[in-house]
Amino acid sequence: MREPVQARVDLGAVRANVALLRDRAAGAEVMAMVKAEGYGHGLVEAARAALDGGASWLGVARVAEALRLRAAGVTAPVLAAVVTPGEPHEEAVAAGVDLTVGSVALVERVAAAAERAGRPARVHLKADTGLSRGGATMADWPSVVDAAGAAQATGRIEVVGLMSHLACADEPGHPSVAAQLAAFQEAIEHAEKAGLRPRVRHLANSAATLTLPQARYDMVRPGIAVYGLTPIPQQGTFGLRPAMTLVAELAAVKRVPAGSGVSYGHTYVTDRETTLGLVAAGYGDGVPRHGSGLLEVLVGGRRRRIAGRVCMDQFVVDLGEDAPSPGEEVLLFGPGDRGEPTAQEWAEALGTISYEIVTRIGARVPRVYPDDPAGR
């Protein structure tokens, strides 16, 4: 049975994108970020493809994601980047999952979990160098370093990494970038003077991996670029290839007279007799409702704008005098090879970023992997 909407994921593109990023990293290790279901592409499948492409680490947001990778047999180093007090730290430590720590309280929680697990916790100390999100502020950094050093001396934790995150790497030349680089270097030097000798120092996201050599340190952490979407659209694609194609089908085709109101609210009214096509995908699948009347899709080799409001499970396109058959394929977005819109085009039409377009594809949409011999 063919599903009415599916996300086709080109794992070969993921592998090639990671290989490109590894080349750009110029000797730094690559941690491929596979959080949020691999940015909507499939957590385990994306992780395996990224490792095949040359990544040596994987990054997720939550402990549960890391544990899913372990349960799937993934043995590569995995970092949980957003660790919260209520997560199963002991289970994570037992599974060899690296944990991001940015406060004295969290150092103590993780150290206690390690004691219960009977093995040291692998931690990465996170400095807030200017994003004002996770991590220790520069004022609090010395106390976090001291707490980590004390816990390491007792064998409860191992400080594997030092890390931070850039706020504006996708805006080359933004003054915050230089300020954060300086702050991160200061944080590293303080930790090293305190006796910490981490294996990896890491700061660079996709944009910095591609454009900021001085941010690469020992490891880079690309996310969106792994999936072939550019982090800096104004500078082009960098040779990346989008991995996801969102495909639906025409559920019905019918002629309607001029003056026919289309979909909820009749925000679109036909100005002539025309053919309408009903597409079996909606905001329940991740097609943004605020894309009503804005987004284009490809039907019958031609782009068509969504006519009227996007509904939970369907939307309508005005086909004019064309008369495709029910069941015909509709390309919502993809790499653009056949003239279909890209996720970047959708993002620009909606005033958002491509990250949101691919990660919001709903759980009921099956991910299919045409180049996976196992058919997963």
Side-chain angles (χ1 to χ4, degrees):
M1 180 182 71
R2 187 176 69 179
E3 295 287 342
V5 57
Q6 59 182 223
R8 296 176 185 162
V9 178
D10 180 357
L11 296 177
V14 173
R15 291 189 288 269
N17 294 330
V18 172
L20 181 152
L21 291 162
R22 187 178 179 186
D23 287 344
R24 294 296 286 263
E29 293 188 71
V30 174
M31 174 187 290
M33 299 303 296
V34 294
K35 60 183 180 175
E37 282 298 321
Y39 287 56
H41 294 68
L43 172 68
V44 174
E45 294 82 3
R48 289 175 173 152
L51 292 171
D52 288 344
S56 51
W57 291 67
L58 298 169
V60 295
R62 298 172 183 163
V63 166
E65 295 172 309
L67 293 175
R68 278 182 56 201
L69 290 173
R70 288 288 184 256
V74 175
T75 59
V78 178
L79 174 67
V82 186
V83 177
T84 62
E87 291 183 293
H89 302 150
E90 182 179 347
E91 190 176 351
V93 173
V97 172
D98 290 27
L99 300 173
T100 298
V101 175
S103 70
V104 171
L106 198 51
V107 169
E108 293 172 348
R109 281 179 180 270
V110 170
E115 200 165 346
R116 295 192 301 271
R119 62 181 289 184
R122 293 167 52 94
V123 304
H124 297 234
L125 301 184
K126 184 172 186 179
D128 177 4
T129 56
L131 183 59
S132 299
R133 203 173 63 175
T137 64
M138 299 309 289
D140 291 338
W141 182 248
S143 61
V144 172
V145 168
D146 289 346
Q152 182 165 264
T154 64
R156 292 178 297 163
I157 73 169
E158 176 190 358
V159 179
V160 176
L162 301 177
M163 63 184 290
S164 189
H165 196 54
L166 294 165
C168 303
D170 56 348
E171 300 178 46
H174 194 282
S176 69
V177 174
Q180 285 196 258
L181 282 166
F184 188 49
Q185 189 60 40
E186 180 183 337
I188 290 169
E189 291 171 1
H190 179 90
E192 290 177 345
K193 286 176 182 176
L196 297 182
R197 295 292 182 268
R199 176 186 162 191
V200 287
R201 302 159 302 166
H202 47 108
L203 174 67
N205 55 12
S206 289
T209 300
L210 292 164
T211 66
L212 203 63
Q214 60 269 45
R216 291 169 187 155
Y217 286 92
D218 306 304
M219 184 165 69
V220 297
R221 303 189 310 262
I224 196 65
V226 168
Y227 309 98
L229 299 170
T230 176
I232 313 177
Q234 64 270 29
Q235 291 194 8
T237 69
F238 297 95
L240 301 165
R241 178 168 175 78
M244 181 186 290
T245 300
L246 189 63
V247 181
E249 64 179 32
L250 289 175
V253 178
K254 61 186 175 185
R255 293 289 288 178
V256 299
S260 296
V262 178
S263 195
Y264 291 128
H266 284 183
T267 58
Y268 181 85
V269 178
T270 61
D271 60 3
R272 67 207 182 290
E273 182 182 357
T274 191
T275 301
L276 299 180
L278 182 66
V279 182
Y283 60 77
D285 305 294
V287 180
R289 187 176 184 272
H290 58 296
S292 302
L294 292 174
L295 297 179
E296 294 182 339
V297 300
L298 191 76
V299 187
R302 291 180 56 191
R303 289 198 183 194
R304 327 278 180 158
R305 183 167 293 180
I306 293 175
R309 288 187 183 156
V310 174
C311 308
M312 185 178 293
D313 314 295
Q314 54 202 306
F315 63 83
V316 177
V317 290
D318 189 336
L319 299 169
E321 296 307 307
D322 294 339
S325 301
E328 182 162 328
E329 184 175 83
V330 179
L331 297 182
L332 281 70
F333 63 77
D337 295 344
R338 290 180 276 176
E340 77 276 12
T342 63
Q344 179 61 37
E345 288 181 75
W346 271 29
E348 290 172 0
L350 298 174
T352 186
I353 55 177
S354 61
Y355 307 54
E356 183 181 3
I357 299 301
V358 291
T359 57
R360 75 185 299 162
I361 301 305
R364 74 176 178 182
V365 177
R367 275 63 171 174
V368 297
Y369 304 93
D371 65 339
D372 185 337
R376 291 168 293 197

